């Protein structure tokens, strides 16, 4: 049995302290450049999942607090 037959490769993606910040913000790098936001995070995760076979996405905490929208909808909007 070869090494590749014995072991499987997987990718771990990790996020922490999102605090319900699902809207992107201007980055200061010029027009059209944004940072943060759930749409960018989701796009990145989907891109990795298309190129990698086994992907695990984990969140350490503080996901649902800190934004007006999450407070109003009790975290459902972020989930």
């Amino acid at each position: 049995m070869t090494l590749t037959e014995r072991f499987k490769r997987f990718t771990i993606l990790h996020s922490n302290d999102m605090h319900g910040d699902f809207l992107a913000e201007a980055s200061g790098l010029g027009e059209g450049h944004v940072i943060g936001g759930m749409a960018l995070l989701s796009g990145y995760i989907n891109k990795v999942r298309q190129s990698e076979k086994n992907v695990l996405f984990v969140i350490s905490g503080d996901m649902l607090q800190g934004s007006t929208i999450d407070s109003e909808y009790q975290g459902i909007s972020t989930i």
Side-chain angles (χ1 to χ4, degrees):
M1 184 178 287
T2 67
L3 186 62
T4 56
E5 292 172 331
R6 294 177 65 194
F7 296 100
K8 297 218 180 241
R9 176 184 165 146
F10 69 96
T11 301
I12 300 173
L13 301 176
H14 172 267
S15 181
N16 191 36
D17 292 321
M18 290 191 293
H19 293 283
D21 189 19
F22 62 93
L23 300 175
E25 299 175 6
S27 69
L29 295 175
E31 190 174 328
H33 287 88
V34 294
I35 58 172
M38 294 296 173
L40 289 175
L41 178 61
S42 176
Y44 177 74
I45 293 167
N46 288 333
K47 181 179 176 181
V48 172
R49 285 182 171 159
Q50 288 175 356
S51 64
E52 300 292 332
K53 194 171 186 179
N54 302 303
V55 178
L56 177 65
F57 175 56
V58 294
I59 301 171
S60 293
D62 290 335
M63 178 177 168
L64 305 177
Q65 64 185 16
S67 78
T68 304
I69 295 171
D70 270 337
S71 295
E72 178 69 26
Y73 296 103
Q74 300 176 347
I76 298 298
S77 55
T78 301
I79 294 171

